Amino acid sequence: MPKGAVAISSAPPMDVHIVPHSLRFPIAVLLNLTLSASLYSITSDFRAGDLSSVSRSVNQWWEVIGLLGGKIAELAIGWYGDFDRVDVASLTYLSHMPTLYLLTTFYGIRPTTAAASLTIDVLAAYAPFYLLRPVSPFHNAEAPAKAVSNRSILNDWPISIFTTILAAGIHGFILYLSFVTWIPSFLVNYFDGVRDLSAAYSAALPFLIVGGLPLGWAAGKFIFTPATGAKPDLGDIRNSAFNPATATLTETVMYNLWGYSKRTRTLIKRTATVAALSGSYTWYQLYITIEGIEGYGAAGWASIWVVATALTGMAFWWVGNVEGFYTAYYVN
């Protein structure tokens, strides 16, 4: 194992073979809901008065079902997307953070309350996958070298630091650009209940980047690491064998639309997953659970993070295609 790499046990701590495949996802959902409810109950005194002061009553049956269904859908994306515990923890952080950031920045919610809520959500997502699914070779420094591509890159701390800062810088810049242009007036028009706009007027890019480092780390773990470690598959073989002179129209269209390497396909799918989940989760949470926020306003705030995610995915793709970047470290 390379110096500085962190070893993660690939096997779950319990023997999952005794659990039928058909029951594993329902058990994961039950564990998630139970742990989440327990932790929120335990920390209720610590968080008292903060979120309730800006939340609207959710008592319509469709609202309750929507919130519960959304949580199950999040877990389903992770489970059936074949994500491991590092993936789901990172994805949960990336999708839940925008809502809590808005509340701490413009609604006066204590940062400790937001941090506690985000920690609970991440732990509740992480725990079921920790118990029921082994960690993927991408996130396991002790996995066989042949299990992934570019093992030395995945275990290289300078590269991890670089991708973390890159993603944090992109998110910080998009946020800063929004703060100094359209966000203040947008919040006034579509967010009834905003308490303080000073953070937008006094925004400083370096502080936004530093504050976004945890997000950058999560983006690197969820997007960059699996894409970098992706092994060539049958799709790569078909792409290399593609002959436009003999291909059918359908084959030509598919090649032009999706004839990328496994690494690029993985990067696109994971970037799209973050953008879709963070955008939809942010919109739903703001519009349904926070008092005074209009649907258009929730969509506007969510769009900041969708754009930043898309640009981060493009930046990761560019980094991976810089001449010599992979070949300098390549280990098959």
Side-chain angles (χ1 to χ4, degrees):
M1 181 170 58
K3 184 179 180 180
V6 178
I8 300 177
S9 175
S10 61
M14 61 180 291
D15 185 6
V16 296
H17 295 95
I18 64 175
V19 182
H21 282 277
S22 59
L23 294 180
R24 292 179 190 177
F25 178 63
I27 291 174
V29 172
L30 181 61
L31 288 171
N32 174 274
L33 296 177
T34 301
L35 182 59
S36 179
S38 300
L39 292 176
Y40 271 109
S41 177
I42 292 171
T43 60
S44 59
D45 290 340
F46 172 76
R47 299 178 295 100
D50 261 355
L51 294 176
S52 61
S53 65
V54 298
S55 300
R56 70 173 70 182
S57 298
V58 179
N59 44 33
Q60 297 291 328
W61 66 268
W62 63 270
E63 293 174 330
V64 175
I65 291 177
L67 291 173
L68 180 61
K71 185 175 287 288
I72 295 175
E74 283 187 80
L75 292 171
I77 289 172
W79 189 265
Y80 295 106
D82 202 26
F83 299 156
D84 67 4
R85 59 204 191 222
V86 178
D87 288 324
V88 295
S90 301
L91 183 58
T92 300
Y93 185 94
L94 292 167
S95 58
H96 290 212
M97 194 275 290
T99 298
L100 294 169
Y101 181 78
L102 174 77
L103 297 180
T104 57
T105 306
F106 301 112
Y107 279 78
I109 300 303
R110 289 177 299 167
T112 51
T113 296
S117 297
L118 189 55
T119 300
I120 290 171
D121 291 346
V122 170
L123 286 176
Y126 179 92
F129 285 75
Y130 173 76
L131 293 172
L132 296 170
R133 173 168 289 174
V135 69
S136 72
F138 309 127
H139 298 128
N140 180 16
E142 293 186 330
K146 292 184 177 181
V148 295
S149 295
N150 306 308
R151 167 58 69 193
S152 58
I153 295 178
L154 301 182
N155 293 342
D156 192 88
W157 276 108
I159 293 178
S160 296
I161 293 171
F162 171 73
T163 54
T164 295
I165 295 174
L166 177 62
I170 291 172
H171 281 78
F173 177 75
I174 296 299
L175 202 57
Y176 176 78
L177 193 63
S178 301
F179 281 0
V180 300
T181 53
W182 60 278
I183 276 294
S185 59
F186 188 80
L187 291 176
V188 170
N189 290 328
Y190 300 105
F191 290 72
D192 185 21
V194 168
R195 299 172 182 175
D196 187 4
L197 294 175
S198 60
Y201 292 115
S202 61
L205 181 58
F207 291 108
L208 292 174
I209 294 175
V210 171
L213 289 176
L215 182 148
W217 183 88
K221 287 296 181 182
F222 186 79
I223 300 174
F224 183 80
T225 296
T228 301
K231 297 280 289 184
D233 63 359
L234 290 176
D236 292 289
I237 297 175
R238 291 193 208 94
N239 292 337
S240 62
F242 177 78
N243 185 348
T246 59
T248 65
L249 176 61
T250 301
E251 291 171 339
T252 302
V253 171
M254 289 302 299
Y255 178 82
N256 289 328
L257 291 177
W258 200 237
Y260 305 111
S261 67
K262 178 63 181 298
R263 182 179 66 82
T264 300
R265 281 180 275 129
T266 299
L267 190 147
I268 290 174
K269 287 190 287 187
R270 286 185 171 245
T271 300
T273 298
V274 176
L277 188 56
S278 64
S280 58
Y281 181 89
T282 300
W283 179 86
Y284 192 83
Q285 284 291 313
L286 293 180
Y287 181 54
I288 297 299
T289 68
I290 306 301
E291 187 69 40
I293 297 181
E294 299 182 20
Y296 183 76
W301 180 256
S303 70
I304 296 175
W305 307 91
V306 171
V307 170
T309 296
L311 292 177
T312 298
M314 293 171 63
F316 285 163
W317 177 84
W318 175 81
V319 167
N321 281 278
V322 172
E323 185 177 358
F325 182 82
Y326 282 126
T327 55
Y329 295 91
Y330 185 80
V331 175
N332 194 25

